């Protein structure tokens, strides 16, 4: 299970367009690309470890044979907190909820910067579920 989660994290992706957007709670610009990207504390390996320790494959999903890849999108705020957490690629409702729950447990990230200032950055994280 942990190996599968680590492989999924290795596929981590950033939205690659340069357009900016605003979110519901905060009308400040959200960058999809910036000079220094946000970083999970301790880097990608620390994030993979966190997900491996905190990601649970829901028992009901296992019983039903549910598998798939969920992409969870969120904004890394200027203070490193995660907001606007939502599923942008669905697997099943049970797996979607499990993936969102894991992201909500994450500690604050190191925020992204652009032109020397902390900025809000959109981030997307794929999480795969596969029954062995």
């Amino acid at each position: 299970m942990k190996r599968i989660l680590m492989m999924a994290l290795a596929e981590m992706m950033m939205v690659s367009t340069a357009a900016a957007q605003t979110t519901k709670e905060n009308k400040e610009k959200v960058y999809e690309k910036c000079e220094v990207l946000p970083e999970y504390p301790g880097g990608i390996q620390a994030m993979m470890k966190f997900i491996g320790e905190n990601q649970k494959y829901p028992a009901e999903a296992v019983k039903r044979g549910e598998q798939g890849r969920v992409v969870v999108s969120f904004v890394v705020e200027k203070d490193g907190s995660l907001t606007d957490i939502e599923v942008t690629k669905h697997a099943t409702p049970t797996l979607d909820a499990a993936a969102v729950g894991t992201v909500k447990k994450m500690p604050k990230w190191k925020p992204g910067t652009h032109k020397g200032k902390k900025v809000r950055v959109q981030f997307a994280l794929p999480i795969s579920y596969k029954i062995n």
Side-chain angles (χ1 to χ4, degrees):
M1 176 65 72
K2 287 184 180 181
R3 190 184 94 217
I4 293 168
L5 293 172
M6 287 184 189
M7 289 185 332
L9 287 173
E11 297 176 21
M12 215 167 32
M13 63 186 169
M14 290 294 298
V15 179
S16 61
T17 59
Q21 21 175 261
T22 60
T23 58
K24 296 172 192 168
E25 303 96 40
N26 189 338
K27 296 296 180 190
E28 284 188 56
K29 187 179 199 177
V30 175
Y31 288 80
E32 292 178 347
K33 194 172 189 179
C34 61
E35 293 173 353
V36 179
L37 297 174
E39 183 180 340
Y40 183 87
I44 292 174
Q45 287 186 330
M47 182 170 54
M48 289 191 295
K49 181 179 179 195
F50 173 87
I51 295 220
E53 292 172 352
N54 290 278
Q55 179 67 28
K56 304 293 183 236
Y57 206 128
E60 62 187 71
V62 173
K63 282 182 191 176
R64 292 191 297 252
E66 295 177 3
Q67 300 184 102
R69 186 169 116 167
V70 180
V71 178
V72 181
S73 175
F74 51 90
V75 174
V76 179
E77 296 290 342
K78 292 177 182 181
D79 68 355
S81 62
L82 307 183
T83 62
D84 299 333
I85 300 168
E86 64 183 14
V87 175
T88 55
K89 182 181 180 291
H90 299 272
T92 69
T94 305
L95 297 179
D96 293 353
V100 167
T102 300
V103 170
K104 285 183 175 182
K105 292 178 189 175
M106 286 185 167
K108 287 186 175 186
W109 288 40
K110 179 181 175 188
T113 60
H114 191 73
K115 296 184 180 179
K117 294 184 179 181
K118 292 179 182 178
V119 294
R120 304 172 74 222
V121 181
Q122 184 74 40
F123 197 88
L125 177 67
I127 300 176
S128 293
Y129 294 88
K130 184 172 178 160
I131 300 171
N132 292 332

